[in-house]
Amino acid sequence: MTVTTNTPSAALTASGVVMQSDEIKEYLPHRYPFLLVDRVIELIPNEHIKALKNVSINEPFFQGHFPHYAVMPGVLIIEALAQTAALLALKTSGEKRDDKTVVYLAGIDDARFKRPVVPGDTLIMTARILVEKRGVVKFAVQAHVGDALACEAELLCTKRSIA
């Protein structure tokens, strides 16, 4: 995956949204209940992205995690951040989803969880490209709820042929 295209900032709509769910689905293969990015509100190709996930009590994982105190699983916060990072990489390269390739999460470094994410929260996710080398992109990612940091990590993603 090459992320060297240097295109201008994505234009915001009047609502402040860069990408809605229909356009997100053009880039990511995930679908409900595993599509964890609701909309993108900021995107500068080859630099950074900011996206949102509205966390609802109706999320299927809350039935078992935990029934007496609903908390979004940390691995799903990381997955939401990886989907956000993949959107940045794909928008940067100008590539949309196809049936022959997939962007994989290849590594997670220095992951830290700072506060629980609960129903009613809006997860504000950011990803910033740190480096790209031999088809692997390293991202610095963070998830906030309001001004409070919920999670941070460095993620490695790579695009691979599946056909």
Side-chain angles (χ1 to χ4, degrees):
M1 170 179 6
T2 304
V3 288
T4 56
T5 306
N6 203 0
T7 58
S9 300
L12 289 174
T13 64
S15 65
V17 176
V18 175
M19 294 174 73
Q20 293 281 10
S21 62
D22 287 343
E23 186 178 1
I24 290 167
K25 290 178 195 175
E26 292 176 19
Y27 289 88
L28 297 179
H30 307 78
R31 296 296 179 265
Y32 179 83
F34 222 70
L35 179 60
L36 299 174
V37 179
D38 292 336
R39 62 189 178 279
V40 174
I41 59 171
E42 188 176 312
L43 172 66
I44 299 177
N46 214 36
E47 287 186 24
H48 73 271
I49 187 172
K50 184 185 283 188
L52 303 179
K53 165 68 178 152
N54 292 311
V55 181
S56 165
I57 190 61
N58 296 321
E59 306 284 352
F61 50 81
F62 283 134
Q63 293 177 26
H65 197 270
F66 300 103
H68 63 286
Y69 180 67
V71 176
M72 185 174 184
V75 295
L76 293 181
I77 296 170
I78 292 290
E79 174 63 27
L81 288 164
Q83 291 178 21
T84 301
L87 280 169
L88 174 58
L90 292 167
K91 286 292 280 189
T92 294
S93 67
E95 301 173 63
K96 290 190 177 181
R97 172 182 56 83
D98 63 38
D99 293 334
K100 297 178 179 126
T101 58
V102 67
V103 177
Y104 284 115
L105 177 60
I108 304 167
D109 294 324
D110 302 320
R112 297 290 180 265
F113 300 93
K114 305 292 187 174
R115 77 174 296 278
V117 177
V118 298
D121 284 346
T122 297
L123 204 56
I124 305 163
M125 303 169 292
T126 60
R128 184 172 43 88
I129 294 175
L130 296 176
V131 66
E132 187 263 335
K133 191 184 242 183
R134 296 189 307 243
V136 178
V137 185
K138 185 174 194 175
F139 299 89
V141 297
Q142 291 187 330
H144 287 83
V145 175
D147 292 331
L149 181 64
C151 176
E152 62 184 345
E154 289 186 353
L155 303 181
L156 301 171
C157 297
T158 188
K159 186 175 174 184
R160 294 289 185 248
S161 174
I162 56 173

